[in-house]
Amino acid sequence: MENIDIGKQVEKARKAKGLSSRELAKLADITPSMLSQIERGLANPSIQTLKVLAKTLNVPTFSFFLEQTITKDLIVRSSNRKKMIIDNLSYELLSPDFTGNLATAIMKVPSNVSSSEKLLEHKGEEVAYIMEGKIKLYLDTEEYILEAGDSVKIPANLKHKWENIFNQEAVVLFSVTPPAF
């Protein structure tokens, strides 16, 4: 709720319709001063005023309550990635965080290391791309050797395990939905 700015949403809708603030104020039967204060966040409009503005702008009233996306928070600089080490595997989170429906990370699997002792499953589906090296992938009762450039989709709840039985570190880019580690 901290990123909700009703005034900015009203202003955005007004500009999308190509209206000046004076034109919208006249159409909505409010003073230009009141509209200016609403758009600048200096006045809290009543629900009735929001309904009138929404009807005038031909947008749903709830659209004024949608959270604003702060675009700078969507960028993850390579030097600022969140890093995790879980069972000898290192992960670098490419997504800003674990909110939302999708997370993407780079998993590094050192030589002669396995992601776990046994096959694991989780509720999310996963897509992985081998960036460097080779990796042995266990999918249910089958085993596969994946090399750089290969990819795999792992459906939700399918038991799987990553294992690097080779002499070179494997680097795997993967996305999982919903985010789960």
Side-chain angles (χ1 to χ4, degrees), residues 4 13 22 39 42 82 90 102 107 118 138 156 163 170 175:
I4 294 175
R22 287 199 178 276
E39 287 186 354
L42 301 176
K82 293 178 173 93
S90 70
L102 175 73
M107 174 177 68
K118 60 182 181 164
Y138 298 82
E163 187 174 59
S175 295

Side-chain angles (χ1 to χ4, degrees), residues 4-177:
I4 294 175
D5 187 332
I6 293 170
K8 287 232 185 297
Q9 296 288 41
V10 170
E11 180 183 32
K12 183 178 170 183
R14 174 181 60 77
K15 287 181 176 178
K17 296 292 182 188
L19 296 172
S20 70
S21 56
R22 287 199 178 276
E23 291 170 321
L24 177 57
K26 184 176 181 178
L27 291 170
D29 198 27
I30 61 174
T31 67
S33 171
M34 173 55 88
L35 180 59
S36 174
Q37 289 178 29
I38 291 169
E39 287 186 354
R40 291 182 295 140
L42 301 176
N44 290 321
S46 68
I47 295 296
Q48 186 57 40
T49 299
L50 287 177
K51 284 180 175 180
V52 169
L53 287 169
K55 185 175 183 182
T56 305
L57 292 166
N58 197 27
V59 298
T61 305
F62 75 82
S63 70
F64 298 140
F65 295 96
L66 295 176
E67 205 165 340
Q68 291 287 106
T69 300
I70 301 171
T71 56
K72 72 177 179 65
D73 293 344
L74 302 175
I75 305 299
V76 179
R77 302 286 180 197
S78 60
S79 60
N80 292 334
R81 290 184 191 144
K82 293 178 173 93
K83 296 179 176 149
M84 306 168 281
I85 296 178
I86 303 171
D87 297 330
N88 295 321
L89 303 178
S90 70
Y91 296 89
E92 289 186 28
L93 189 62
L94 301 179
S95 308
D97 51 39
F98 293 110
T99 61
N101 297 319
L102 175 73
T104 301
I106 295 173
M107 174 177 68
K108 294 181 180 174
V109 186
S111 181
N112 300 310
V113 166
S114 178
S115 63
S116 64
E117 293 295 318
K118 60 182 181 164
L119 298 176
L120 300 175
E121 63 184 302
H122 50 81
K123 67 179 180 176
E125 83 178 341
E126 193 172 333
V127 173
Y129 171 78
I130 312 309
M131 294 173 60
E132 296 175 22
K134 292 194 251 183
I135 194 122
K136 185 175 188 178
L137 174 63
Y138 298 82
L139 290 176
D140 206 14
T141 60
E142 303 293 323
E143 299 175 14
Y144 300 91
I145 302 297
L146 300 179
E147 299 183 21
D150 293 342
S151 59
V152 61
K153 176 181 175 182
I154 304 171
N157 300 311
L158 181 69
K159 292 183 179 187
H160 62 285
K161 176 172 93 166
W162 303 94
E163 187 174 59
N164 186 349
I165 59 172
F166 305 100
N167 292 328
Q168 177 188 353
E169 176 180 72
V171 180
V172 181
L173 171 69
F174 73 93
S175 295
V176 63
T177 179

